[in-house]
Amino acid sequence: MYDFLIVGAGLYGAVFAHEAKRVGKSVLVIDRRPNIGGNVYTELVEGIHVHKYGAHIFHTNSKRIWNYVNQFAEFNRFTNSPVANYKGELYSLPFNMYTFNKLWGVVTPQEAAAKIEEQKKAAGVTNPKNLEEQAISLVGSDIYEKLIKGYTEKQWGRPCSQLPSFIIRRLPVRLTFDNNYFNALYQGIPMGGYTQMVKNMLDGVEVHLGEDYLQKKAEYDAMAERVVYTGAIDAYFHFKMGPLEYRSVRFETEILDQPNFQGNAAVNYTDAETPWTRIIEHKWFEFGKGPDGQDLPKTVISREYSSEWKPGDEPYYPVNDEKNSALYSAYKELANQETKVIFGGRLGEYRYYDMDQVIASALAMANRLFGE
């Protein structure tokens, strides 16, 4: 018997496993994938740490969480400064004075603010009820049409007028020349890749890969006192009340025989006609250098295509609209009746989590159980 069976070797599972082992608990971690790391998994290709399940940039305002992850990896000083490509025109993201100057020719913050206010009034937006109205309220109609509408509708597969306004509120808007996407005190990429960081978290912990918990649930449940489940909550209950909706992402990854494809880690394609949402060039997360600091002759790019989730796809982004939130509440009621199982993480709690939030959630659960 183990004290804990942890289903999922992603960040939530790895952090919880580390904390349980630290206080003397016996732990078994299983994952249906052939690798640890969940969606932060990175693999070395041509000397480049490729983010196999999409770009992950660690950022947090919590000194406690920053100190915690620095036990397991040294972080570089990468700053996320994406570029928006609208039909060949390039704009700074997040929206800042460089964006406003290129779009409108304005030079001062006062001119930019006046232009946004003028367009907001012209659109008649006073109390934003959806993403479209919220976006126009924040940045005006020009930026909404060029840099938000097409990208967002590709990302979510729904008209902006049908999406909740809170989605766009995460997007920074600055009347400064600051190109740093995240308003975070601490930011970077683990040197050596995320897989090595998770491996360090799981040091000394028994891990079995290629194991599907739901297919052998009774057998696995009999092996542990408690289960920490980080898979999809609706799948755990056999979709008995219907499936929760997610957006999924498909990646087309290429090795290119050239040292530089786009000159930036992330370029978003914001027009509706381009089928992909963005292109990631992985080497720029580590300044174009290999593990030994050498220049690399090749590069690896990934085009991202957003799609509606269907069985067999990887669920990425919960669709936290009214209908799905109500359905999740019903599944949460069932979860609360499970005395042996703890549901955690992005899929177990059906919520969009940044990496630092996943780690904080896992630490909070460990603290509740182990009382430190």
Side-chain angles (χ1 to χ4, degrees):
M1 285 289 286
Y2 295 91
D3 293 318
F4 288 94
L5 169 72
I6 298 172
V7 181
L11 276 179
Y12 189 102
V15 168
F16 188 92
H18 178 84
E19 293 305 301
K21 181 180 178 295
R22 190 172 62 80
V23 295
K25 304 295 182 183
S26 57
V27 179
L28 171 63
V29 175
I30 64 171
D31 199 297
R32 63 180 174 80
R33 286 177 177 170
N35 53 264
I36 61 170
N39 280 6
V40 304
Y41 172 68
T42 49
E43 59 183 352
L44 201 61
V45 179
E46 299 288 345
I48 299 160
H49 289 113
V50 171
H51 297 221
K52 187 169 180 183
Y53 299 101
H56 287 81
I57 298 116
F58 195 89
H59 57 98
T60 186
N61 278 312
S62 167
K63 189 169 187 179
R64 179 177 72 95
I65 298 298
W66 182 246
N67 288 341
Y68 185 82
V69 294
N70 273 271
Q71 297 176 88
F72 309 107
E74 183 180 351
F75 283 72
N76 69 18
R77 56 169 185 79
F78 178 82
T79 298
N80 189 27
S81 300
V83 171
N85 182 320
Y86 177 79
K87 299 181 178 181
E89 299 172 14
L90 301 181
Y91 294 92
S92 285
L93 287 177
F95 307 129
N96 61 30
M97 286 301 298
Y98 290 113
T99 321
F100 307 140
N101 173 261
K102 177 156 187 181
L103 195 65
W104 297 320
V106 298
V107 174
T108 68
Q110 293 77 15
E111 290 173 312
K115 193 75 177 173
I116 292 169
E117 188 60 29
E118 173 194 317
Q119 295 194 351
K120 177 182 166 183
K121 279 183 180 169
V125 177
T126 50
N127 183 25
K129 297 178 186 63
N130 54 49
L131 189 148
E132 180 175 285
E133 293 179 357
Q134 182 69 62
I136 292 171
S137 173
L138 286 170
V139 290
S141 50
D142 287 346
I143 287 179
Y144 168 70
E145 291 292 340
K146 275 194 169 187
L147 304 182
I148 295 175
K149 188 176 190 289
Y151 181 91
T152 304
E153 292 185 351
K154 286 189 292 188
Q155 178 84 354
W156 292 99
R158 292 155 175 79
C160 287
S161 58
Q162 293 177 20
L163 288 167
S165 59
F166 72 82
I167 292 174
I168 201 72
R169 288 191 210 128
R170 296 178 73 248
L171 195 65
V173 179
R174 302 201 183 100
L175 296 174
T176 66
F177 290 90
D178 182 2
N179 274 341
N180 181 0
Y181 190 88
F182 297 120
N183 288 312
L185 285 171
Y186 310 103
Q187 182 176 169
I189 304 278
M191 293 159 72
Y194 283 101
T195 304
Q196 184 60 49
M197 181 182 86
V198 174
K199 185 178 178 184
N200 293 342
M201 288 177 175
L202 292 169
D203 185 38
V205 173
E206 190 177 347
V207 179
H208 296 174
L209 299 173
E211 292 292 325
D212 192 324
Y213 167 74
L214 294 178
Q215 287 187 358
K216 298 192 284 186
K217 185 174 181 304
E219 180 186 326
Y220 271 118
D221 284 350
M223 293 170 64
E225 293 286 339
R226 302 289 302 273
V227 175
V228 176
Y229 176 79
T230 70
I233 189 170
D234 53 349
Y236 181 91
F237 292 108
H238 309 291
F239 306 102
K240 62 164 41 171
M241 289 179 287
L244 289 161
E245 291 180 297
Y246 293 89
R247 294 296 288 171
S248 192
V249 185
R250 177 173 63 84
F251 301 95
E252 278 183 4
T253 297
E254 287 183 71
I255 301 168
L256 301 178
D257 197 10
Q258 62 189 77
N260 191 351
F261 173 74
Q262 64 187 18
N264 203 49
V267 176
N268 293 6
Y269 286 77
T270 61
D271 61 282
E273 294 75 25
T274 303
W276 54 84
T277 52
R278 64 178 178 175
I279 299 178
I280 300 301
E281 188 168 6
H282 300 267
K283 74 191 302 182
W284 301 120
F285 290 126
E286 297 180 79
F287 312 112
K289 305 292 185 183
D292 302 323
Q294 76 274 26
D295 290 324
L296 298 167
K298 296 186 180 182
T299 193
V300 180
I301 64 166
S302 297
R303 291 181 178 85
E304 297 187 10
Y305 299 81
S306 187
S307 61
E308 200 71 17
W309 178 87
K310 59 185 186 302
D313 291 346
E314 200 60 49
Y316 280 87
Y317 303 105
V319 181
N320 293 123
D321 58 14
E322 204 171 308
K323 178 183 76 168
N324 284 287
S325 296
L327 183 55
Y328 169 67
S329 294
Y331 278 119
K332 182 78 165 66
E333 284 294 313
L334 292 179
N336 290 340
Q337 294 164 32
E338 296 275 327
T339 55
K340 182 173 178 166
V341 183
I342 296 160
F343 293 81
R346 182 176 50 92
L347 301 179
E349 299 175 60
Y350 193 66
R351 59 177 292 185
Y352 183 88
Y353 265 138
D354 285 327
M355 286 181 283
D356 64 326
Q357 295 170 321
V358 174
I359 291 167
S361 178
L363 288 175
M365 180 56 71
N367 186 48
R368 281 200 290 277
L369 293 175
F370 311 138
E372 286 193 8

